[in-house]
Amino acid sequence: MSAHSFETLAIHAGQEPDPTTGAVVPPLHLSSTFKQDGVGGLRGGYEYARSGNPTRTALEECLAALEGGSRAFAFASGLAAEDTLLRSVARPGAHVLLPGDAYGGSYRLIAGVLSNWGITHTSVDLADLDAVRAAIRPETAVVWCETPTNPLLGIADIAALAGIAHDAGALLVVDNTFASPYLQQPLTLGADVVVHSTTKYVGGHSDVVGGALVVNDQTLAEKIGYHQNAVGAVAGPFDSWLTLRGIKTLAVRMERHCDNAERIVEVLSSNPAIEKILYPGLPDHPGHEVAAKQMRRFGGMVGIHLRGGIDTALAVVAKTKIFTLAESLGGVESLIEHPGKMTHQSVAGSPLEVPDDLVRLSVGIENVDDLIGDLLQALE
Ligand SMILES: *Cc1c(COP(=O)(O)O)cnc(C)c1O
């Protein structure tokens, strides 16, 4: 490719017109197996579709290009990607450092599943670099970072964490789901692995569940590639195709998500029902400067603490008409939810429990005045 700007890569990387038919869109290859011209005589490098599938390859090449990585691996879900990654880079006895407000499913995977395999963990506030240094142990294999975090929109300094992790001989893994590669490219800031739930902004249309890992290191790529095939939690061809179709508009969608979120934050900041708004674009957000340094813009996710506590929070999420009450995020349609009772139920009672006066918005790309009107009537 001669052009390397993000918008162009999103539409063309891994997506050259099909050499046999000229199809402009990568074909949906459903074949589970591929004819060999004599034993081992592979025509296009494909033998069996768990090991590799051309539609999945197109998605993986595009994701690698968008994150500034050399290789990407697509999985059946974000958690499948995380599980495969941790089995690739950590052994029984290894220690993982987690954000104090990690995505609940990542916490559950590490604390509830991989703990049975001998992986230990500590959760720590990643914005507090001294606390991170103090929590590192000789057996720490992975520093797991999310920025912005789900649902508290905390910000961690990726470059600083990469330095700390590497000094300790650990890998820095960044869950880039909330920012998407359009807003933030962790590998270029020193991270070793980027994790995505492509279910969210990358796919962008709430019609497919998927995950991905992206790396820039050949040894790491070989380890992950081995485990992707050996564990087998791969993205199916149709899921890959849908995700790739979503990616084409990632840049324009993200700009609109950011525009709409910024306007909503501005209008709601003076609303008497609201105690506090969590948005990294606000100058008084504790991570604002770091976010401004490492992100292009501040994203489409907004947290709202309500003055009336949990009762008001539950009433508001039940009253919106355009914002749909649902889990997940990052799609073109606006969603609203109560993390304490929905997405983060799995961390209730743990150190990662989220406040119950909190409502989370995934601001979509509808007309912003319609969205503001909907929120104002629900807050009345
Ligand atoms: C949704 C999500 C995941 C998990 O991804 P799935 O595709 O649901 O398995 C991981 N991290 C973050 C930040 C998420 O929002």
Side-chain angles (χ1 to χ4, degrees):
M1 294 231 24
S2 51
H4 296 284
S5 44
F6 189 96
E7 295 83 346
T8 307
L9 291 171
I11 292 167
H12 295 289
Q15 303 166 77
E16 294 300 319
D18 183 54
T20 53
T21 63
V24 167
V25 170
L28 174 52
H29 288 278
L30 293 171
S31 192
S32 63
T33 189
F34 298 83
K35 175 179 160 56
Q36 307 194 6
D37 296 325
V39 175
L42 308 183
R43 294 179 179 192
Y46 297 99
E47 52 187 10
Y48 180 60
R50 168 165 36 70
S51 314
N53 164 288
T55 313
R56 194 175 92 215
T57 302
L59 170 63
E60 292 175 336
E61 287 182 0
C62 186
L63 285 168
L66 295 186
E67 285 287 0
S70 57
R71 289 285 300 280
F73 302 88
F75 293 87
S77 69
L79 284 174
E82 295 183 16
D83 184 47
T84 303
L85 171 65
L86 286 165
R87 286 173 200 277
S88 308
V89 300
R91 291 285 160 272
H95 174 247
V96 177
L97 213 59
L98 274 180
D101 56 348
Y103 171 67
S106 304
Y107 175 77
R108 182 176 54 197
L109 172 67
I110 292 166
V113 178
L114 292 169
S115 58
N116 296 322
W117 196 53
I119 303 267
T120 61
H121 68 277
T122 310
S123 51
V124 64
D125 175 6
L126 293 187
D128 181 348
L129 298 176
D130 290 330
V132 174
R133 279 187 206 97
I136 296 250
R137 300 186 198 160
E139 66 273 22
T140 303
V142 170
V143 174
W144 190 277
C145 168
E146 246 183 86
T147 183
T149 57
N150 180 1
L152 296 176
L153 296 152
I155 298 292
D157 186 329
I158 296 172
L161 287 173
I164 295 173
H166 296 160
D167 284 348
L171 296 174
L172 178 67
V173 174
V174 177
D175 182 336
N176 203 25
T177 298
F178 262 41
S180 91
Y182 180 70
L183 297 181
Q184 171 175 283
Q185 295 175 315
L187 297 178
T188 66
L189 298 165
D192 301 285
V193 184
V194 167
V195 173
H196 276 288
S197 168
T198 56
T199 313
K200 317 292 169 53
Y201 286 106
V202 169
H205 295 74
S206 306
D207 55 7
V208 57
V209 171
L213 301 174
V214 192
V215 299
N216 215 351
D217 173 86
Q218 184 58 23
T219 311
L220 211 44
E222 276 163 22
K223 263 190 208 173
I224 292 169
Y226 173 84
H227 281 79
Q228 183 192 39
N229 181 47
V231 176
V234 296
F238 190 47
D239 291 356
S240 300
W241 190 92
L242 278 172
T243 305
L244 195 54
R245 181 163 89 153
I247 284 178
K248 288 176 190 283
T249 55
L250 182 58
V252 286
R253 283 189 284 109
M254 291 316 295
E255 288 290 346
R256 181 64 170 262
H257 283 297
C258 293
D259 288 345
N260 285 1
E262 283 171 13
R263 270 288 308 285
I264 285 172
V265 166
E266 191 187 317
V267 171
L268 293 191
S269 61
S270 56
N271 192 283
I274 293 175
E275 174 73 36
K276 189 173 180 203
I277 297 181
L278 309 178
Y279 188 64
L282 287 170
D284 68 350
H285 185 289
H288 177 67
E289 269 177 42
V290 173
K293 180 181 74 172
Q294 67 190 15
M295 298 176 77
R296 190 197 294 251
R297 294 183 71 182
F298 302 102
M301 299 301 297
V302 178
I304 299 175
H305 286 287
L306 288 149
R307 278 199 208 285
I310 184 167
D311 295 337
T312 311
L314 292 175
V316 168
V317 301
K319 265 172 76 181
T320 53
K321 297 190 172 78
I322 301 173
F323 278 85
T324 302
L325 176 58
E327 303 200 355
S328 201
L329 60 108
V332 291
E333 63 288 297
S334 292
L335 302 178
I336 190 167
E337 68 125 0
H338 184 269
K341 291 228 172 283
M342 295 170 65
T343 47
H344 290 66
Q345 180 77 53
S346 64
V347 290
S350 84
L352 282 76
E353 187 170 282
V354 297
D356 64 9
D357 64 346
L358 183 73
V359 163
R360 187 186 77 179
L361 305 180
S362 172
V363 177
I365 65 171
E366 300 96 333
N367 179 285
V368 72
D369 295 321
D370 292 346
L371 296 179
I372 289 169
D374 190 35
L375 291 170
L376 291 179
Q377 67 79 26
L379 286 163
E380 248 169 38

